[in-house]
Amino acid sequence: MTGAWALLGAVAVVAVIALVLRARDGRVRVAERAEARVSLPGPVRDLLDAGTPVTLVQLSTAFCANCRQTRVVLEDLARRVEGVRHVELDVTDLPEVAADLGVLRAPTTLALTPSGVELVRVGGVPKPDALIAALRPHLPGPIG
């Protein structure tokens, strides 16, 4: 009987963890302080464009199941919203880049200004409406 209670307890713990992870997936976190990173990794800095107000940098890995879905969401958003550009960086062979940015999962999306200021961070597949709402103050015109 003790084994059954242990099994039931383990299932309950796993269920709670799954619910917490699901709730956090795709959540848009607005940066607390808008300041440029002192040492933005070179591969990320090279992706920024001085003429684009917001660059969505998608950090992916070769074995990421949700990266394709994230790519579709971000490419669509960049196509529809003026002032937004999407780029993808595969960090499979660049673990130091992920570590420098504090990225613990793939996909992670960073919204960066041309000077490297992190505006928004999303772990998992972004929710388009929440991402647009968070980026709205940093975009040049109305969002259609």
Side-chain angles (χ1 to χ4, degrees):
M1 189 67 178
T2 303
W5 285 110
L7 179 61
L8 185 60
V11 169
V13 168
V14 169
V16 168
I17 290 171
L19 289 173
V20 169
L21 290 176
R22 176 175 258 176
R24 292 185 63 183
D25 192 44
R27 186 181 72 187
V28 175
R29 292 182 296 164
V30 177
E32 292 177 18
R33 293 188 319 231
E35 59 187 45
R37 292 185 67 85
V38 175
S39 60
L40 192 64
V44 175
R45 188 177 46 250
D46 294 344
L47 296 172
L48 300 179
D49 177 24
T52 305
V54 177
T55 300
L56 300 174
V57 179
Q58 177 185 342
L59 302 170
S60 302
T61 61
F63 306 104
C64 171
N66 290 326
C67 291
R68 285 187 294 287
Q69 186 178 357
T70 298
R71 183 180 315 115
V72 169
V73 168
L74 296 179
E75 285 176 349
D76 178 60
L77 191 118
R79 193 172 31 256
R80 291 185 301 116
V81 179
E82 179 187 352
V84 175
R85 180 173 160 255
H86 168 249
V87 293
E88 187 172 358
L89 179 63
D90 186 338
V91 294
T92 303
D93 298 323
L94 302 169
E96 67 282 355
V97 171
D100 288 349
L101 294 170
V103 171
L104 301 175
R105 67 184 288 197
T108 293
T109 302
L110 305 175
L112 302 171
T113 66
S115 62
V117 174
E118 183 177 322
L119 304 170
V120 171
R121 180 179 291 233
V122 181
V125 180
K127 294 174 177 62
D129 294 339
L131 185 54
I132 289 172
L135 294 176
R136 183 168 278 125
H138 308 284
L139 297 174
I143 297 171

